[in-house]
Each structure stands twice: as C-alpha cells, then as structure tokens.
C-alpha cells in the first residue's frame, strides 16, 4: 500500500471513505455501550445521553486522528 498521497492512483478518497466508516462505527459502538451502562447504573436518560455522546465523539476523534497520521505518512 502506497503511503504517498501525491501519486496514489486515485486511492486516497477510497481510503478516507474506509477511515470515516471505521471511525463512525467505533463512535457508534462506544457511544451506545457507554449510554447503556450509564442508563443501567444511574437510570437517568440525560446522564446516559451525555455519557454516550462524549464516549462516541471521543472514539470517533481518536480513530480519525490515528488514521490521519497513518495516511499522511
């Protein structure tokens, strides 16, 4: 796999589509698991929503940052 974004035979948009899909999937999984666990513990929908959103965005951001640094090399 070529790591040069300048001449990659048009593969860069496909790579970013895969990265975005992986990041969205990780965010959705982390968010739903966190929300479910928080709901089970606190029985408060607002706390569960906040915890799920924070965990989901955190996982999404971490995957995007990691993959961006990999693609950029």
């Amino acid at each position: 796999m070529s790591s040069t974004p300048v001449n990659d035979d048009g593969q860069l948009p496909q790579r970013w589509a895969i990265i975005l899909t992986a990041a969205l999937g990780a965010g959705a999984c982390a968010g739903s698991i966190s929300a479910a666990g928080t709901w089970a513990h606190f029985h408060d929908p607002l706390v569960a929503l906040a915890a799920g959103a924070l965990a989901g965005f955190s996982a999404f951001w971490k995957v995007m940052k990691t993959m961006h640094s990999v693609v950029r090399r």
Side-chain angles (χ1 to χ4, degrees), residues 10-60:
Q11 295 296 314
L12 194 59
Q14 293 168 347
R15 288 184 196 167
W16 275 111
I18 292 168
I19 291 168
L20 184 60
T21 303
L24 287 173
C29 287
S32 61
I33 290 170
S34 177
T38 305
W39 179 278
H41 184 73
F42 292 108
H43 302 289
D44 186 355
L46 291 178
V47 174
L49 180 67
L54 183 63
F57 182 75
S58 176
F60 171 80

